Amino acid sequence: MKILLTNDDGFFAPGIKAMAKALIKENHEVIMVAPEFENSGKSHSITLTEKLNFNKVKIKGIDCPCYSVSGTPADSVRAALHVFGHDYFDYCFSGVNLGYNAGMDILYSGTVSAAVEANVFGLNSIAVSAEYARDQTQFKAAAKIAIDVFNKLHDKTDRVEVLNINVPKLSYEEVKGIKVCRVGGSVMDQYKAEETENGLALSLTMRKPSSDIDKSDRLYLEKGYATVTPLIYDLNNMEEIEKLSKFF
């Protein structure tokens, strides 16, 4: 398969290198197109008023074409599809991200948003994230599990969708299994406030404790499972449209 590989940590990040090596080992034709700089938490933002620089880069140990984009993760996908053609790629991988993109954090994730952007253009995709563990983050294990999920599920859907994968900080052999589940958990919304001359300086610190939804991604991750959550790009609430239409 022809795979578009991107991320939000930047083309130089260890996670995307691990994912590239895993895909190449599976004999896929991989083209990496990723942000020039780290873009964590940029969600689905795109560049509107500035030019995007699309440059070829060399990454030691990675045997596939690699390009950097001076924009966001979503920009990287858009640029790749423009340069290579909207029908060139068969699938999109985004990651492996440094840190979970589970629960409501997916709303802010550049990693997931890059995968969703591929969906906008009709391309199925997988977003992959590994639990943060400083220099012990299990990128290789996460990449291998993503390949397992891809091999089992990539041709099992008749809709364009994202498979959002999260993997705990365990070796491949230590992961208890793979659970397909729903999104759960609270939003990261706790700030540390410091007074400044003109007001306050707010630093994002943590999330409120929450009782996770049964059979949710965060619950299974805590128990040592990798999780798969199907996400569909569709902003239409058809049930509500039909309900509200009756009033007009």
Side-chain angles (χ1 to χ4, degrees), residues 28-41:
H28 293 294
E29 180 184 331
V30 179
I31 295 179
M32 182 193 298
V33 182
E36 182 179 4
F37 304 105
E38 183 184 351
N39 275 259
S40 298

Side-chain angles (χ1 to χ4, degrees), residues 15-16 94 176 193 240 247:
I16 199 170
S94 183
K176 291 183 178 180
E240 195 69 8
F247 295 96

Side-chain angles (χ1 to χ4, degrees), residues 76-100:
S76 297
V77 172
R78 295 163 66 89
L81 295 178
H82 177 80
V83 171
F84 292 98
H86 287 72
D87 297 324
Y88 183 83
F89 297 102
D90 299 309
Y91 215 89
C92 176
F93 275 73
S94 183
V96 177
N97 187 67
L98 175 61
Y100 283 151

Side-chain angles (χ1 to χ4, degrees), residues 101-109 183-188 207 217-218:
N101 280 306
M104 297 306 292
D105 290 355
I106 64 171
L107 293 174
Y108 311 105
S109 167
V183 173
S186 58
V187 176
M188 185 177 287
R207 69 184 81 249
D217 50 6
R218 288 200 179 277

Side-chain angles (χ1 to χ4, degrees), residues 164-176:
N164 185 39
I165 300 173
N166 285 279
V167 181
K169 52 183 178 184
L170 300 170
S171 69
Y172 179 79
E173 293 75 18
E174 291 173 328
V175 173
K176 291 183 178 180

